[in-house]
Amino acid sequence: MNPQPINRLITDDHEDNDPANISMKSTPGLRVFKPIIPKIYLDDAWTKLKPAIRTIFLDEPQDYHCSEIFNAVNKAWWSKSSGEALYKLILEECEIYISAAIRSLELHCDDDPSVFLPLMENCCLEFRRKLQDLCSIAYEGHTVGLKSLWDLGKELFPKHLCLASKVCDKLLSINLDLIRDQRLGKAVDTTQLKNLRDLFYGPSFYKSRFFEKPFIDCAVEFYSAESLQFKEEQYNIPQYLKHVEQMLRKEKENCRHLYFFRGFKKSLMEAVERILLRDHVSVILEKGFVKFMDERSHDDLSRMYRLFSKMDLLGQLNDALNSYIFQTGQKMLKEDSSLAELKKSIDKICHTCFSEDASLEKTAKQCFNDLGLPWEESETESLQIKRIRFDRLGRLHYL
């Protein structure tokens, strides 16, 4: 039986309707012929593009035709699989040149930071310029996942920077020296390091383990020395609380404005808070709280409340307030003194220093009730009660 003539063309890939995947279908009994067009386009694009990549990254005289490469790459992207394969080949080829450029910086790792940092910045800028040139001829409009060729290319620099341990150690050393100097109040110029961050250092780079642990260790070392000095000065509580508030404010500002804090702000602040305050809570309350309450030192009490509330330490402050009212009240009762003045003072402290904190006010109220003196409503509570009215039918209204 003679085969019937081929009667139509159909696309073999119905999901993406790829015009490159064209197959010839015959009537039953005829073998299907499917030319491998995507592979042809991929090979053609790579043949034209690979020498161009070398020319771009080695700064050789241009000997390629941009339009030919652009069209060849565009055809390779007629098939998603061949387009992605082409991008993979591009990135693998780029890595060869990026790695060599970063490794060349190892020769300058013993140089002064004023020499090393400009070289590092220039290396980054040159890479960005060359990547832009490559993207301009490699039909950069397509994406792999949600990332363009430019996005994928930018990730190569920090990747190979992390692999160059000697260069990383040099950058780490410069960073830590700048941090120490800044914490000591010295003038620090971070312009070049910020420029490097803006070019290629993404958050993932600064979260990498090669940098985070030494960075946190540096903070622990510095603030441990600060707290040790606090102990040696016999715990000057008012001055120390001012110092802690200033240090925490400064670190938070650094987290917002200096690139080397952004990647692990939470772990940084937890370390600083623990060393400066959490490890000394019992001493601060023991030597400071009673003194502040006796002397009606509202500024110091307000500062203590602000710090404790930010660090979830109000439970300890609440216990200290309970102990102070009860012990002071019992002492006054034994001396046949009136509790009215103490109650008035505590009421003012709760209102002005403790921001009318509900839990602290509840503790104070309970303490005075136990001492036999009912707690009067605060001014704010009284105002709220006065604003409540009932109409003739007994319905509640808030005025």
Side-chain angles (χ1 to χ4, degrees):
M1 180 178 178
N2 294 329
Q4 297 295 323
I6 297 173
N7 55 12
R8 63 189 181 121
L9 298 176
I10 66 167
T11 57
D12 191 48
D13 187 350
H14 295 284
E15 292 182 358
D16 60 6
N17 204 22
D18 193 337
N21 294 331
I22 299 177
S23 64
M24 307 291 289
K25 184 176 179 182
S26 68
T27 55
L30 180 64
R31 185 179 63 177
V32 174
F33 171 70
K34 180 180 179 180
I36 313 176
I37 294 178
K39 180 69 166 59
I40 296 173
Y41 287 160
L42 173 60
D43 291 344
D44 180 58
W46 185 235
T47 300
K48 291 180 171 64
L49 190 54
K50 184 176 179 179
I53 294 174
R54 172 185 172 85
T55 298
I56 290 171
F57 278 92
L58 295 183
D59 289 318
E60 296 177 346
Q62 180 175 333
D63 60 352
Y64 55 84
H65 297 286
C66 297
S67 59
E68 289 184 5
I69 296 175
F70 186 88
N71 291 332
V73 173
N74 189 19
K75 287 181 179 179
W77 267 103
W78 282 4
S79 168
K80 190 173 185 297
S81 59
S82 65
E84 291 182 350
L86 179 61
Y87 271 19
K88 183 179 179 181
L89 290 171
I90 293 172
L91 296 173
E92 289 174 351
E93 188 72 10
C94 289
E95 289 191 77
I96 299 172
Y97 301 104
I98 296 167
S99 178
I102 293 175
R103 294 287 179 185
S104 68
L105 294 171
E106 293 180 352
L107 299 174
H108 302 279
C109 284
D110 294 330
D111 293 345
D112 187 84
S114 62
V115 176
F116 178 81
L117 284 179
L119 293 173
M120 184 78 223
E121 185 177 11
N122 184 65
C123 184
C124 292
L125 288 169
E126 281 294 294
F127 171 70
R128 184 171 71 170
R129 177 183 64 79
K130 292 171 182 179
L131 182 60
Q132 286 175 334
D133 290 344
L134 174 59
C135 290
S136 69
I137 64 172
Y139 200 77
E140 204 258 332
H142 290 294
T143 59
V144 177
L146 298 176
K147 294 184 177 180
S148 65
L149 180 59
W150 170 257
D151 296 328
L152 295 169
K154 284 200 302 181
E155 294 175 356
L156 298 179
F157 197 93
K159 171 186 173 182
H160 284 274
L161 186 57
C162 289
L163 295 175
S165 58
K166 194 173 180 180
V167 177
C168 275
D169 290 342
K170 179 67 174 180
L171 279 176
L172 175 60
S173 175
I174 295 173
N175 273 281
L176 295 182
D177 287 344
L178 286 171
I179 292 168
R180 291 191 190 97
D181 288 346
Q182 191 199 46
R183 284 173 175 155
L184 290 170
K186 297 180 181 179
V188 171
D189 182 10
T190 60
T191 303
Q192 287 177 318
L193 287 170
K194 286 182 179 179
N195 290 341
L196 294 177
R197 183 282 313 271
D198 293 337
L199 290 174
F200 293 105
Y201 297 169
S204 60
F205 176 69
Y206 280 105
K207 286 180 181 177
S208 59
R209 56 178 178 236
F210 94 89
F211 188 80
E212 181 169 4
K213 187 179 185 303
F215 173 76
I216 299 300
D217 290 345
C218 177
V220 170
E221 178 185 355
F222 180 85
Y223 287 109
S224 293
E226 292 282 299
S227 61
L228 180 61
Q229 184 179 356
F230 164 56
K231 291 180 182 179
E232 293 174 349
E233 292 176 352
Q234 301 299 315
Y235 293 100
N236 184 337
I237 305 298
Q239 281 301 117
Y240 185 69
L241 289 179
K242 289 180 182 178
H243 182 66
V244 170
E245 194 169 46
Q246 290 171 358
M247 289 294 98
L248 292 177
R249 186 183 302 115
K250 186 176 180 180
E251 290 296 329
K252 288 179 180 178
E253 283 296 313
N254 290 340
C255 288
R256 283 195 290 268
H257 301 299
L258 295 180
Y259 76 92
F260 34 70
F261 294 106
R262 291 182 182 178
F264 23 85
K265 174 183 176 181
K266 183 179 179 181
S267 52
L268 166 69
M269 296 311 300
E270 286 176 351
V272 175
E273 290 170 359
R274 175 178 59 80
I275 294 167
L276 289 180
L277 193 63
R278 289 183 184 277
D279 291 350
H280 308 286
V281 167
S282 58
V283 175
I284 290 172
L285 290 173
E286 179 184 346
K287 296 183 178 292
F289 185 74
V290 173
K291 183 174 182 292
F292 295 162
M293 295 293 287
D294 287 342
E295 296 177 357
R296 309 298 188 256
S297 181
H298 288 189
D299 288 343
D300 292 320
L301 287 169
S302 297
R303 185 173 294 107
M304 181 180 286
Y305 176 79
R306 287 196 301 270
L307 290 170
F308 278 44
S309 61
K310 289 177 182 177
M311 299 184 200
D312 196 25
L313 295 171
L314 287 182
Q316 289 88 326
L317 185 61
N318 189 67
D319 292 342
L321 178 64
N322 179 82
S323 176
Y324 176 81
I325 296 175
F326 191 72
Q327 292 181 11
T328 305
Q330 283 190 324
K331 181 180 178 181
M332 295 177 70
L333 289 175
K334 289 179 181 179
E335 297 172 350
D336 291 329
S337 300
S338 172
L339 296 177
E341 193 64 29
L342 174 64
K343 185 163 170 282
K344 182 179 179 181
S345 173
I346 298 297
D347 184 23
K348 185 174 182 180
I349 288 172
C350 286
H351 180 71
T352 61
C353 304
F354 298 160
S355 300
E356 297 184 341
D357 186 279
S359 62
L360 296 178
E361 285 195 345
K362 182 179 179 181
T363 294
K365 179 179 180 180
Q366 185 61 49
C367 285
F368 281 108
N369 284 337
D370 293 342
L371 291 169
L373 187 64
W375 178 265
E376 295 179 0
E377 302 294 347
S378 67
E379 182 179 353
T380 301
E381 291 173 325
S382 299
L383 288 173
Q384 290 175 343
I385 291 173
K386 289 178 182 179
R387 291 175 66 84
I388 299 175
R389 296 289 186 272
F390 291 89
D391 63 15
R392 295 180 180 178
L393 299 177
R395 291 176 299 191
L396 187 63
H397 289 272
Y398 292 91
L399 305 180

